Amino acid sequence: MSDESSLTIGVLACAAGVGRETVRFYEREGLLPEPPRSASGYRRYPPDSVARLRFIRRAQGLGFTLEEIRDLLALRVDEVVACAAVESRARQKLESVRQKLTELRRLKRALERLVAACAAREPTSDCPILEEIEER
């Protein structure tokens, strides 16, 4: 890879819409391959690193963990693995999201009850939210 076709960390970060520390973090986590370095020691990333970083960010936005993203990246380059493997992981993530939504709805109802109880109390009385937490 020539230096003309490679990207510095700053150019890569800007093109992908992330910070330099994010690029370094993904590199440490194994999500972004360690790039070759120039004679002066600067990282020189291949142009396809921009797409890889964008993939990572989009996957995070969909709720995938870094470990899950690492697996997806491995599947992405494996020509033998069928799309069904990726679909399976997406279905697992969807089920996880559904479970979290159910739990969040339950938590929302509980907090709404506590806030309503708080509004009914006199200013000098004990806080019903703290009382509820202590009792549990």
Side-chain angles (χ1 to χ4, degrees):
M1 170 174 52
S2 70
D3 280 352
E4 296 83 42
S5 67
S6 64
L7 308 172
T8 63
I9 192 169
V11 171
L12 172 62
C14 184
V18 299
R20 292 177 183 181
E21 283 304 313
T22 300
V23 174
R24 290 184 189 106
F25 174 74
Y26 291 153
E27 193 178 313
R28 284 191 307 273
E29 291 295 314
L31 296 169
L32 190 63
E34 186 175 335
R37 293 189 180 251
S38 67
S40 55
Y42 291 103
R43 291 173 170 92
R44 303 300 301 188
Y45 294 90
D48 65 348
S49 298
V50 175
R52 189 174 184 100
L53 284 173
R54 288 178 179 162
F55 178 90
I56 293 166
R57 297 302 284 193
R58 286 186 195 119
Q60 281 184 307
L62 291 171
F64 288 96
T65 66
L66 294 182
E67 185 173 332
E68 290 168 334
I69 294 169
R70 193 176 294 108
D71 290 344
L72 289 173
L73 286 166
L75 290 172
R76 190 171 177 229
V77 297
D78 190 341
E79 296 175 7
V80 178
V81 175
C83 187
V86 177
E87 179 188 6
S88 172
R89 284 174 171 76
R91 287 183 182 282
Q92 289 170 358
K93 181 53 69 177
L94 180 59
E95 182 55 33
S96 171
V97 168
R98 285 183 179 134
Q99 289 172 0
K100 287 177 186 176
L101 283 171
T102 299
E103 179 61 21
L104 285 171
R105 284 187 198 100
R106 186 198 63 74
L107 183 59
K108 178 182 175 268
R109 287 189 303 271
L111 287 170
E112 285 172 340
R113 284 192 305 273
L114 290 173
V115 168
C118 203
R121 290 282 184 121
E122 296 292 321
T124 56
S125 63
D126 291 337
C127 176
I129 294 173
L130 296 177
E131 287 176 3
E132 178 71 16
I133 294 170
E134 286 176 0
E135 290 176 14
R136 299 258 168 175

